[in-house]
């Protein structure tokens, strides 16, 4: 029996998950305003598939932790949907949610048992298996006539800022568009300000601490800025690195997953910095313009190693031996 006093914040799994889901609502609304009903259908398809798969997996494994509406499956589907192209086929979203819930989560035993972030595992599988569908971007400006969304417009395809630089070496940074979200990119990674505001609100709500987000941003931007200062034509400017792609989404909403990240403060700092640095390396030297999803899976894989070397010593132990009384 546990007799010692234990501090508790009063935050359940359901509460934590739904707070993160709520913080993403402004991003979802912006996606609808930018890309119209197609974006809502894609998100709904991901959510429905994830909930159905969650319910079936829990039925097959009654010993698994959690329940269908605890918010975890909803969050996984939402992050996956927000990392997809706005007009991705609905079947792609459904397949991604199936992979995330079944192969990214329940194959390990369910809630709290998975080694890799389920949404990013699914995204990487989709990117490798369906590269054309996963890199078909549309320009949100093509959907507007004045201030209103135009129905019946398929959209104008165009490369993202990072993708365009990777292909042609040209840099066309429109900082205001990046901050507000009026640019092409994945469904939920376009608005830097909305993602930053949601992430800061989650820190204020103590859903997670600041260590991983700050370490991730520094891990990517410090070497990225040095690279840009040495070779301005070799990489996009630091502000473009910060406000483009999935860096801010990954730093606040994906890497902060408590299941797949380290438990200690020192471990979180190492974890975040390593993820940011891997993201920079893929962006600068890899074949893919964006590297956050790959970085997440790689640092998830080394989390047990980080935990092994950064867990604080138990009270009463000195130099690996129990302190004599």
């Amino acid at each position: 029996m546990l007799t010692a006093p234990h501090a508790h914040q009063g935050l359940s799994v359901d509460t934590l998950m739904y707070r993160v889901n709520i913080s993403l609502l402004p991003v979802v609304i912006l996606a609808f305003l930018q890309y119209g009903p197609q974006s809502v259908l894609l998100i709904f398809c991901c959510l429905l598939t994830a909930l159905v798969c969650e319910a079936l997996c829990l039925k097959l494994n009654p010993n698994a932790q959690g329940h269908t509406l605890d918010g975890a499956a909803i969050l996984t589907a939402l992050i996956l949907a927000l990392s997809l192209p706005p007009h991705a086929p609905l079947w792609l979203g459904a397949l991604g949610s199936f992979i995330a819930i079944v192969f990214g989560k329940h194959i390990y035993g369910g809630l709290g048992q998975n080694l890799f972030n389920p949404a990013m595992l699914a995204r990487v599988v989709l990117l490798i298996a369906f590269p054309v569908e996963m890199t078909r971007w549309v320009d949100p400006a093509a959907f507007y006539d004045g201030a209103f969304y135009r129905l019946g417009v398929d959209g104008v395809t165009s490369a993202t800022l990072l993708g365009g630089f990777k292909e042609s070496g040209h840099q066309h940074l429109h900082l205001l568009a990046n901050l507000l979200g009026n640019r092409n990119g994945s469904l939920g990674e376009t608005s830097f300000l909305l993602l930053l505001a949601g992430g800061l609100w989650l820190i204020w709500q103590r859903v997670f601490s600041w260590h991983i987000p700050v370490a991730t941003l520094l891990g990517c931007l410090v070497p990225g800025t040095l690279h840009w200062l040495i070779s301005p034509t070799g990489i996009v400017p630091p502000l473009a690195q910060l406000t483009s792609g999935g860096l801010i989404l990954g730093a606040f909403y994906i890497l902060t997953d408590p299941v797949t990240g380290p438990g200690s403060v020192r471990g979180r700092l190492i974890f975040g910095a390593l993820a940011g640095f891997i993201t920079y390396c893929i962006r600068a030297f890899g074949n893919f313009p964006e590297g956050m999803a790959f970085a997440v899976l790689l640092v998830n894989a080394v989390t047990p190693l980080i935990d092994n070397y950064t867990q604080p010593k138990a009270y009463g132990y000195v130099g690996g031996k129990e302190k004599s009384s």
Side-chain angles (χ1 to χ4, degrees):
M1 184 175 68
L2 298 177
T3 58
H6 298 280
H8 194 280
Q9 287 182 278
L11 295 177
S12 64
V13 172
D14 298 38
T15 302
L16 290 175
M17 294 299 174
Y18 278 108
R19 284 186 182 179
V20 181
N21 288 327
I22 290 171
S23 72
L24 286 170
L25 279 180
V27 180
V28 173
I29 295 172
L30 177 65
F32 170 71
L33 295 176
Q34 283 183 313
Y35 302 108
Q38 174 69 15
S39 61
V40 177
L41 288 174
L42 180 61
I43 294 173
F44 177 77
C45 187
C46 290
L47 289 173
L48 180 61
T49 305
L51 290 174
V52 170
C53 291
E54 181 83 358
L56 291 175
C57 288
L58 289 174
K59 187 74 173 177
L60 293 173
N61 182 17
N63 295 322
Q65 297 294 320
H67 56 92
T68 305
L69 297 178
D70 59 12
I74 295 174
L75 180 58
T76 295
L78 192 55
I79 290 179
L80 172 65
L82 294 178
S83 69
L84 296 176
H87 283 194
L90 298 183
W91 61 263
L92 193 71
L95 178 60
S97 287
F98 171 79
I99 294 171
I101 298 299
V102 176
F103 294 100
K105 180 180 178 181
H106 280 281
I107 201 171
Y108 293 98
L111 181 66
Q113 306 299 318
N114 49 291
L115 175 61
F116 300 102
N117 182 279
M120 291 300 98
L121 177 66
R123 188 185 191 281
V124 168
V125 171
L126 294 178
L127 182 61
I128 294 174
F130 307 100
V132 176
E133 289 81 1
M134 286 293 291
T135 54
R136 185 176 294 158
W137 313 107
V138 292
D139 187 354
F143 295 94
Y144 286 90
D145 182 8
F148 297 97
Y149 180 85
R150 290 190 296 176
L151 295 174
V153 178
D154 291 332
V156 177
T157 59
S158 60
T160 62
L161 189 151
L162 296 176
F165 178 81
K166 183 70 70 173
E167 293 172 3
S168 62
H170 295 307
Q171 303 175 7
H172 299 291
L173 171 63
H174 301 287
L175 183 58
L176 185 61
N178 279 23
L179 293 176
L180 298 179
N182 188 25
R183 63 178 177 86
N184 49 4
S186 294
L187 195 57
E189 68 181 24
T190 56
S191 178
F192 173 83
L193 290 181
L194 285 181
L195 291 170
L196 179 62
L200 293 177
W201 180 75
L202 291 175
I203 293 176
W204 180 62
Q205 290 288 312
R206 297 186 178 181
V207 173
F208 52 79
S209 66
W210 58 267
H211 301 91
I212 289 178
V214 171
T216 302
L217 297 179
L218 290 177
C220 180
L221 294 177
V222 170
T225 301
L226 292 175
H227 187 162
W228 180 73
L229 291 174
I230 295 171
S231 176
T233 60
I235 195 171
V236 294
L239 281 176
Q241 298 177 44
L242 175 63
T243 60
S244 299
L247 181 61
I248 197 75
L249 180 65
F252 283 97
Y253 288 96
I254 301 172
L255 288 165
T256 50
D257 175 13
V259 175
T260 56
S264 67
V265 170
R266 189 156 57 101
R268 292 172 194 153
L269 291 173
I270 296 172
F271 177 84
L274 182 60
F277 181 71
I278 293 173
T279 301
Y280 152 73
C281 289
I282 295 175
R283 286 181 172 187
F285 309 109
N287 292 326
F288 291 95
E290 175 58 77
M292 177 53 69
F294 294 99
V296 170
L297 297 185
L298 289 172
V299 293
N300 286 164
V302 299
T303 293
L305 183 64
I306 295 175
D307 266 335
N308 185 55
Y309 286 99
T310 59
Q311 285 292 347
K313 296 288 189 300
Y315 179 77
Y317 284 79
V318 178
K321 296 182 180 180
E322 186 174 1
K323 191 177 182 179
S324 58
S325 56

